[in-house]
Amino acid sequence: MMSVLNFYNRFLRKLRKTFKHVVVSYDSMVLGSKVKSKKGLFIDCGTNLGQGFSHFSKYFNLSNYDYVMIEPNPNCVSILQEKYADNIKNNQICIIPKAATSKNGSLKLYGLSEKSEIDSIYNPTGSEINSYSQGASVLKEHNSLFYASDDQSAIVVETFKFSDYLIKQTDKYETIVIKIDIEGAEYELIQDMIETNSILIPKIIYAEFHSHFMDINSRDKYKNIESSFLNYLKNTDVKFRPWN
């Protein structure tokens, strides 16, 4: 049984990797002529340790795009600042050490110390404490399928109103691409983008929804929100790419 599960997990990883290569390669070619004359902007919401940048910069390269990395986890931010020091110095990369949300302020960040006994490729935290967890979230019920969020061990991080920031970037950039992987906080963020019409600014949005990380009592609620988002975006010129 375990060997079958391992084969299935490896197959899923390979399938996802192939999908990401083909889709992103196509998207970058479509926008190619636009960014050759004027540089574009790639905004990575939920950078973690730069995994998204490592993938996307192969297609949306630094010669044609400036990058903004948004990451609220201070443990990750210190790594990013060291890892991309030269790019930051050359104004190719800007790091925002806050959480992209619908308002300015602060929130608790969960998922850095909670433990889970469930071993799965879909479980970013795993059974050990992980200061750099890809599953850290400002949404308390995120990852509720795997563990109960602990208020006592959560850390407080700054937040900022992403839609306001996005609107300001249109003063400098005509071509903006966004990746959103913020562990459940995308629901409130995208809703605010719709309400402020800033959802129409990016040419492409790559986003991972996280209803599958929620327990059964929350899952249907978030799946319904996902459906409403997708239905709304069908009537816009924005290309939406699910990034699971």
Side-chain angles (χ1 to χ4, degrees):
M1 179 65 182
M2 184 59 66
S3 61
V4 173
L5 181 60
N6 289 338
F7 173 81
Y8 177 68
N9 285 339
R10 286 195 298 271
F11 174 75
L12 276 181
R13 291 190 187 100
K14 187 173 182 179
L15 187 63
R16 290 163 69 186
K17 184 176 181 180
T18 301
F19 169 80
K20 290 179 178 182
H21 167 77
V22 173
V23 171
V24 178
S25 179
Y26 170 78
D27 288 341
S28 65
M29 286 190 293
V30 169
L31 296 180
S33 60
K34 295 179 181 294
V35 296
K36 283 183 179 179
S37 58
K38 186 175 182 181
K39 221 173 184 185
L41 177 66
F42 194 106
I43 304 177
D44 184 357
C45 295
T47 298
N48 194 246
L49 294 175
Q51 298 94 324
F53 173 78
S54 296
H55 177 77
F56 284 104
S57 61
K58 296 174 184 176
Y59 311 96
F60 301 96
N61 57 69
L62 285 169
S63 62
N64 292 323
Y65 290 85
D66 293 328
Y67 272 76
V68 172
M69 294 181 171
I70 299 172
E71 177 54 51
N73 184 348
N75 303 308
C76 294
V77 170
S78 60
I79 299 295
L80 293 169
Q81 290 173 334
E82 181 178 353
K83 186 176 181 179
Y84 300 108
D86 290 340
N87 299 113
I88 295 170
K89 183 178 179 180
N90 294 327
N91 296 316
Q92 296 173 305
I93 291 176
C94 171
I95 297 176
I96 300 179
K98 301 178 182 181
T101 64
S102 63
K103 58 182 71 71
N104 299 315
S106 62
L107 287 171
K108 288 185 176 181
L109 183 69
Y110 301 93
L112 299 180
S113 62
E114 290 88 342
K115 293 183 179 181
S116 171
E117 300 304 321
I118 299 176
D119 184 16
S120 166
I121 64 170
Y122 297 112
N123 181 12
T125 298
S127 59
E128 299 297 329
I129 293 174
N130 184 0
S131 299
Y132 308 104
S133 174
Q134 296 182 54
S137 176
V138 295
L139 184 69
K140 187 172 183 178
E141 61 262 39
H142 173 257
N143 256 336
S144 53
L145 176 65
F146 299 106
Y147 58 77
S149 297
D150 182 5
D151 278 301
Q152 297 301 315
S153 62
I155 65 173
V156 177
V157 297
E158 285 189 72
T159 68
F160 72 103
K161 188 173 175 64
F162 179 71
S163 59
D164 285 351
Y165 175 81
L166 182 57
I167 291 169
K168 288 179 181 178
Q169 301 316 302
T170 59
D171 293 338
K172 182 178 179 181
Y173 300 97
E174 294 179 4
T175 304
I176 298 177
V177 180
I178 301 175
K179 186 217 90 179
I180 303 174
D181 185 3
I182 51 177
E183 308 304 319
E186 67 273 5
Y187 299 102
E188 182 178 330
L189 180 73
I190 294 176
Q191 183 59 48
D192 183 63
M193 290 174 68
I194 291 173
E195 292 173 0
T196 59
N197 286 324
S198 60
I199 194 77
L200 303 176
I201 292 174
K203 303 297 183 185
I204 306 170
I205 298 176
Y206 300 95
E208 179 173 0
F209 288 130
H210 291 82
S211 59
H212 54 291
F213 287 148
M214 312 292 186
D215 64 28
I216 194 65
N217 296 320
S218 302
R219 197 173 303 159
D220 287 345
K221 166 189 169 182
Y222 287 104
K223 281 187 175 181
N224 289 335
I225 296 174
E226 290 168 16
S227 296
S228 67
F229 288 162
L230 294 176
N231 287 333
Y232 175 87
L233 289 169
K234 284 178 182 178
N235 298 316
T236 73
D237 293 328
V238 179
K239 289 187 175 69
F240 184 87
R241 308 298 196 197
W243 202 247
N244 295 335

